[in-house]
Amino acid sequence: MVEAVLIDLFILPANLQNNIQGLLHNTLEAIEKCSSSHAPLVYVMCCQRQGSEKKGEQEFLLPALGGFQSLKRRLEVVCAQTTAAALYTVKQRLDEKDLSIIKVILPTLRKDLMKVYIDHLFTAVYQFVFEDLQVVPDSESLQISERQHEGQMLPSQDIALIQSEIQMYLESLPSLKGELTILRSSLIPDDIFLHGFTTRTGGISYIPTLSSCNLFSSSKRRDPQVVVKENLRRLANAAGFNPEAFHRVKVDHANAVCILGKTEPDNYDGIVTNQRGVTLAAPGADCIPVLFADPVRRACGAAHSGWKGTLLGVSMATVNAMVSEYGCNMKDILVVLGPSVGPCCYKLPHESAKEFHRIDPNCVRLFDSASPYIDIRRATRILLERGGILPENIQDDSITDQNQNITFCTACHPDKFYSHFRDGTNFGTQIGFISIKDSDSLSYSRAAFR
């Protein structure tokens, strides 16, 4: 069942401009007749001409809006200067009400353009159906031109213009939840490495569980890739790295490691490099983003360590890749565990908990219960120390000076971090990132703040 209807009056052919009120009236009448049992929300999207006010544009359409009692409280006119701005506003309204099935009524000439906007601003969570705007009967020439247009590929320059329009609009949006905040470890020398762990502030994601600096998009979430890209651009500006030289692990909840510059595996939870100015990143939303740095051999790495990856030894697999590829010495490698779900909150079924108990009984609390509490951080530290990493070269929540602690529990701090455990399926993602500094990255940092 259609949950919302979007009527696109943003750009109408010249011969229909004078009849815009009639077109809208007829369209609303058809919607009302088809929705006697359940009236959908209706959004009328129109162009706000430069120099005019939104109120004036809406008042112009008022004569067409009267008389539709069943739609009266479920109808909104959205005026903006660009299609990107108007459609993004409509998306916000849909997300506020958790709606995902939308009918779009628009001129045929606008259909291919609208599909490009939708592909960029929405994800597979949403379903769209399209219906032609019913034009007046005497516009035969227009109907002929529309039939000729159907089936044609949209020129690449038009797609590029749409992408640029969307990007410019998103860049103009204010940051939400305060300034962008980056947590840094005192263990990693900042004269050699650029690194940090993100929090949830300072981005543009507005959905409560994703707000505001979400750094991952998927077909199951409502944040589109363009929004995540804008959040990453703002992070790069604040941190001082080049977002075009950014490599994030391809999560598989296992222990494969990518050596940057060699053949990339299909999926991997660890990544290492000795290239300067290249930023590596690992996500976390309860799972641990782990950063690795060797200031002697000038190499670094990042790993995503969930409970499965922890048991499979992804952190030591990343360390071993640094040793074998770049000649790193175990005793020189520094490891920092980022924000992740703590033993105060994290539970696993008893069968899975047994594996952590085998690593060390102190990794499990209430072992005899059906769902014991698990300390994946302690397990990670133990496995790293057994592998040869010096205890003093590992930073986690066991740090003596709690003012230096950055390994916070994600589930316990909803104001600072995302948590899958706490927020459910439409959760946001923070990251840990690291790179080896060079003059180009420093130049990028300076240019970003001009």
Side-chain angles (χ1 to χ4, degrees):
M1 179 185 294
V2 171
E3 298 170 330
V5 176
L6 170 60
I7 304 171
D8 177 19
L9 302 180
F10 202 86
I11 298 177
L12 287 174
N15 62 332
L16 295 184
Q17 288 286 351
N18 294 332
N19 195 36
I20 187 171
Q21 293 180 359
L23 278 172
L24 181 56
H25 183 276
N26 293 341
T27 304
L28 292 173
E29 189 174 54
I31 293 171
E32 192 173 51
K33 284 181 181 177
C34 296
S35 312
S36 54
S37 58
H38 177 75
L41 292 170
V42 179
Y43 301 96
V44 180
M45 199 170 82
C46 63
C47 180
Q48 178 190 348
R49 293 178 292 274
Q50 282 194 340
S52 66
E53 296 182 0
K54 287 185 180 181
K55 187 177 180 181
E57 302 284 355
Q58 293 168 349
E59 287 178 350
F60 175 72
L61 296 174
L62 283 178
L65 303 179
F68 297 100
Q69 294 303 315
S70 66
L71 298 177
K72 190 172 182 180
R73 294 184 179 179
R74 303 175 67 82
L75 190 150
E76 180 180 350
V77 177
V78 177
C79 292
Q81 292 185 1
T82 65
T83 299
L87 193 57
Y88 195 74
T89 301
V90 171
K91 181 181 184 298
Q92 289 177 302
R93 302 291 189 271
L94 296 171
D95 290 336
E96 286 168 4
K97 298 173 176 61
D98 199 30
L99 305 179
S100 56
I101 305 174
I102 304 104
K103 176 186 284 187
V104 184
I105 303 175
L106 75 176
T108 305
L109 284 168
R110 285 269 290 172
K111 190 180 295 182
D112 289 343
L113 285 168
M114 181 60 72
K115 286 181 178 179
V116 175
Y117 282 102
I118 286 171
D119 285 345
H120 281 78
L121 290 173
F122 293 82
T123 69
V125 168
Y126 308 83
Q127 299 175 46
F128 289 89
V129 292
F130 294 87
E131 182 178 301
D132 291 341
L133 186 67
Q134 295 302 310
V135 297
V136 289
D138 60 353
S139 56
E140 184 178 346
S141 60
L142 173 67
Q143 293 176 21
I144 293 172
S145 68
E146 287 179 343
R147 286 196 296 270
Q148 289 173 343
H149 180 76
E150 283 186 291
Q152 293 182 5
M153 291 289 292
L154 201 63
S156 58
Q157 59 266 33
D158 287 356
I159 296 175
L161 286 172
I162 291 172
Q163 292 171 334
S164 177
E165 178 191 316
I166 291 172
Q167 180 181 339
M168 289 179 63
Y169 174 69
L170 295 180
E171 288 181 4
S172 74
L173 295 176
S175 297
L176 303 175
K177 286 186 174 286
E179 295 300 312
L180 198 147
T181 304
I182 301 170
L183 305 177
R184 293 182 174 88
S185 166
S186 58
L187 185 64
I188 297 177
D190 60 9
D191 59 328
I192 301 173
F193 300 99
L194 185 154
H195 84 284
F197 296 93
T198 64
T199 67
R200 64 183 302 169
T201 62
I204 63 168
S205 303
Y206 57 81
I207 295 169
T209 56
L210 301 176
S211 179
S212 69
C213 195
N214 173 41
L215 292 166
F216 185 76
S217 177
S218 80
S219 60
K220 298 178 181 178
R221 305 187 201 180
R222 287 178 174 259
D223 242 3
Q225 187 59 45
V226 288
V227 168
V228 171
K229 186 177 179 180
E230 172 57 18
N231 288 340
L232 179 63
R233 186 192 69 83
R234 296 183 185 209
L235 169 63
N237 282 356
F241 65 79
N242 181 359
E244 301 303 321
F246 178 84
H247 299 268
R248 188 193 336 246
V249 300
K250 296 182 177 179
V251 172
D252 192 35
H253 296 280
N255 61 1
V257 179
C258 173
I259 314 299
L260 199 66
K262 293 190 174 182
T263 302
E264 184 183 24
D266 291 336
N267 299 286
Y268 50 92
D269 287 81
I271 185 169
V272 296
T273 190
N274 64 352
Q275 299 178 31
R276 295 172 182 266
V278 175
T279 302
L280 309 182
D286 293 335
C287 298
I288 314 171
V290 189
L291 300 182
F292 307 81
D294 181 350
V296 177
R297 300 296 295 182
R298 305 273 174 129
C300 65
H304 161 269
S305 185
W307 73 268
K308 291 180 182 178
T310 299
L311 292 175
L312 291 169
V314 66
S315 289
M316 272 311 300
T318 307
V319 166
N320 290 333
M322 293 174 67
V323 171
S324 62
E325 290 295 323
Y326 312 124
C328 298
N329 188 315
M330 288 281 187
K331 293 178 172 52
D332 297 325
I333 296 176
L334 312 171
V335 185
V336 180
L337 280 60
S340 47
V341 67
C344 49
C345 297
Y346 194 49
K347 296 180 178 181
L348 282 176
H350 191 266
E351 284 302 309
S352 301
K354 285 181 181 178
E355 299 298 319
F356 285 91
H357 195 268
R358 290 190 185 100
I359 294 173
D360 189 307
N362 290 325
C363 292
V364 183
R365 183 162 58 90
L366 303 179
F367 179 63
D368 293 330
S369 65
S371 299
Y373 289 88
I374 306 299
D375 192 340
I376 59 174
R377 301 167 181 167
R378 181 188 291 269
T380 299
R381 171 179 276 276
I382 290 170
L383 294 174
L384 284 166
E385 290 182 9
R386 288 176 184 172
I389 300 296
L390 297 177
E392 63 268 26
N393 285 350
I394 303 171
Q395 180 176 339
D396 56 15
D397 57 344
S398 66
I399 190 169
T400 305
D401 182 359
Q402 285 300 304
N403 290 325
Q404 298 292 321
N405 182 32
I406 57 173
T407 315
F408 297 101
C409 176
T410 48
C412 285
H413 296 84
D415 57 325
K416 291 184 176 69
F417 304 109
Y418 301 110
S419 169
H420 182 197
F421 178 81
R422 182 191 64 231
D423 298 334
T425 54
N426 196 37
F427 61 97
T429 299
Q430 50 261 337
I431 63 168
F433 63 90
I434 188 167
S435 65
I436 307 163
K437 287 184 175 179
D438 70 354
S439 57
D440 289 339
S441 64
L442 293 174
S443 298
Y444 178 83
S445 178
R446 286 192 291 268
F449 287 98
R450 285 175 186 163

